[in-house]
Amino acid sequence: MDEASRRTVLAAGAAAVAAVSGCSTYGEPQNAPATSAPANAVLAKTADVPVGGGVIVGDAQVVVTQPTAGTFKAFTSVCTHQRCQVASVEGGTINCTCHGSKFDITDGSVVKDPAQQPLAPQRITVTGDSIRLG
């Protein structure tokens, strides 16, 4: 094998290894980001969160849901697939339109992939008609 052919084969092999190793991290879970809202920040009013739905608080990177009347839950609003912001809460799911992932409004679990990890729960308190972070 002449030197030019050998270099071509080695370069092609190195490119293949780089491509495969680059793909090995695709879809691996990422740590949920910290919210950007201060603790005790009011995220929403209880009347703003529909039963069976929710609201996305983009600045805080939180989605607040009300699976059943009077029960409020909160999760990070950053999709675990490729870290896009979720776009809507409809039909009992939190929906990411980047690649179609859907998460259950009751526990943040994956309902439809490509996401493999659930949305991280966020701690909230409900006092009167205010839903606060923390």
Side-chain angles (χ1 to χ4, degrees):
M1 180 180 285
D2 69 15
E3 191 62 28
S5 299
R6 185 168 187 263
R7 281 190 205 133
T8 303
V9 169
L10 289 175
V17 168
V20 169
S21 64
C23 289
S24 67
T25 59
Y26 177 78
E28 288 184 10
Q30 302 276 333
N31 290 332
T35 64
S36 58
N40 288 327
V42 174
L43 296 172
K45 297 292 187 181
T46 56
D48 296 335
V49 184
V51 175
V55 295
I56 299 165
V57 186
D59 292 344
Q61 294 186 328
V62 173
V63 57
V64 178
T65 65
Q66 187 175 187
T68 58
T71 301
F72 297 91
K73 305 282 184 160
F75 309 94
T76 178
S77 64
V78 179
C79 180
T80 58
H81 175 238
Q82 288 193 342
R83 306 185 67 71
C84 294
Q85 279 287 326
V86 297
S88 67
V89 184
E90 299 171 355
T93 59
I94 302 164
N95 309 301
C96 180
T97 56
C98 286
H99 299 101
S101 295
K102 294 181 183 245
F103 304 89
D104 191 284
I105 65 170
T106 60
D107 61 7
S109 63
V110 176
V111 173
K112 181 178 181 280
D113 53 17
Q116 298 295 306
Q117 301 296 315
L119 294 176
Q122 298 295 307
R123 185 183 210 151
I124 56 170
T125 56
V126 180
T127 307
D129 67 347
S130 295
I131 301 169
R132 296 181 182 274
L133 194 58

